[in-house]
Amino acid sequence: MEQALEQLQSWIDGSDNIVFFGGAGVSTESGIPDFRSVDGLYHQQFDYPPEVMLSHSFYQSHPEEFFDFYRKKLLVSGAQPNAAHKKLAELEAAGKLKAVITQNIDGLHQMAGSREVLELHGSTLRNFCEKCGRPYDTSEIAGSQGVPRCPCGGVIKPDVVLYEESLDSGVLYRAVDYIRKADVLIIGGTSLVVYPAAGLIDYYQGHKLVLINKSATGMDARADLVITGAIGQVLGQIAVR
């Protein structure tokens, strides 16, 4: 581990074109559960599998069940940025990190101070009426019962990408552009199995691909540096200079 951290520190010290791509594992240290770990949503018992309950078709056919699940499992109150979020914000402020590309929907990167955050799957912090487009704060959904509705009668939908929905093409294009131009690409807290997001690794053209994860991924063999551990614990040891 020590030698790997030294290598990572060296690459970070020598670059001002770093891009970070992260998944649910980045936020687990902030108390937000992921999907695939032992304690994740996929291993909990529900009437339907989580991927079904978070699909567009389920949202349309079972809106009350969708919002009940959404409030209980995706709206986490009081979560705060951890060492990973904070270190990435420091690296950006120092002019070394160009962008954070995230699969998370919790807004913790922005809370930590990161400015260039590309949210591939949207955000729970943004909500809108599907009929008139009026924006709503998260509290409107968290404090509602049943299906939250706008005074116009429209459903207030979270601005998150559900299963069966397409990623925002503009966000995806910018993510590809950042990754293609990156000198150092750090990927952390993701199993790299959810596409199309996982396919972003294919656009990296450099030779400093870093994978930081608690467990092995199918992409480890492609990495130039693999560090096994919690992303916050690893990045927390990196100096910004």
Side-chain angles (χ1 to χ4, degrees), residues 20-24 26-27 100-106 109-110 117-122:
F20 178 81
F21 173 41
V26 178
S27 292
V100 168
I101 302 166
T102 181
Q103 294 172 282
N104 296 338
I105 57 177
D106 50 48
H109 284 294
Q110 292 93 326
V117 181
L118 280 63
E119 297 172 312
L120 296 176
H121 296 157

Side-chain angles (χ1 to χ4, degrees), residues 2-209:
E2 185 175 345
Q3 186 176 3
L5 283 171
E6 290 177 358
Q7 181 64 80
L8 176 60
Q9 182 72 67
S10 175
W11 286 351
I12 289 175
D13 288 344
S15 178
D16 61 358
N17 187 11
I18 303 167
V19 171
F20 178 81
F21 173 41
V26 178
S27 292
T28 53
E29 291 170 85
S30 293
I32 297 178
D34 63 5
F35 274 60
R36 291 175 173 77
S37 68
V38 174
D39 298 320
L41 293 181
Y42 281 170
H43 294 274
Q44 298 179 28
Q45 296 298 315
F46 304 106
D47 292 340
Y48 304 89
E51 65 269 30
V52 171
M53 299 181 79
L54 293 175
S55 67
H56 182 76
S57 56
F58 190 86
Y59 165 76
Q60 289 188 313
S61 62
H62 299 75
E64 291 199 10
E65 289 94 330
F66 168 86
F67 278 105
D68 182 55
F69 180 79
Y70 181 84
R71 291 186 193 95
K72 290 178 179 177
K73 296 300 179 182
L74 270 70
L75 295 183
V76 181
S77 62
Q80 295 296 316
N82 61 52
H85 300 106
K86 295 174 182 177
K87 188 65 66 174
L88 292 168
E90 288 180 36
L91 288 168
E92 183 186 32
K96 303 185 76 63
L97 183 77
K98 297 301 183 187
V100 168
I101 302 166
T102 181
Q103 294 172 282
N104 296 338
I105 57 177
D106 50 48
L108 291 180
H109 284 294
Q110 292 93 326
M111 191 183 299
S114 291
R115 295 179 178 274
E116 185 64 358
V117 181
L118 280 63
E119 297 172 312
L120 296 176
H121 296 157
S123 173
T124 60
L125 303 185
R126 297 187 300 270
N127 308 274
F128 64 93
C129 171
E130 289 193 298
K131 187 175 181 180
C132 71
R134 177 179 172 181
Y136 282 91
D137 186 77
T138 305
S139 61
E140 295 288 340
I141 291 183
S144 65
Q145 299 291 325
V147 179
R149 291 191 178 275
C150 176
C152 78
V155 176
I156 302 173
K157 183 180 183 296
D159 189 17
V160 297
V161 179
L162 302 176
Y163 287 98
E164 302 169 349
E165 293 181 339
S166 300
L167 301 188
D168 182 285
S169 59
V171 174
L172 194 58
Y173 176 83
R174 289 169 59 207
V176 167
D177 191 52
Y178 273 120
I179 288 175
R180 183 182 285 127
K181 295 175 180 177
D183 172 34
V184 179
L185 175 61
I186 302 173
I187 299 178
T190 174
S191 55
L192 291 172
V193 297
V194 178
Y195 283 83
L200 291 174
I201 192 174
D202 296 333
Y203 294 95
Y204 179 60
Q205 300 177 352
H207 302 285
K208 296 174 183 176
L209 173 59

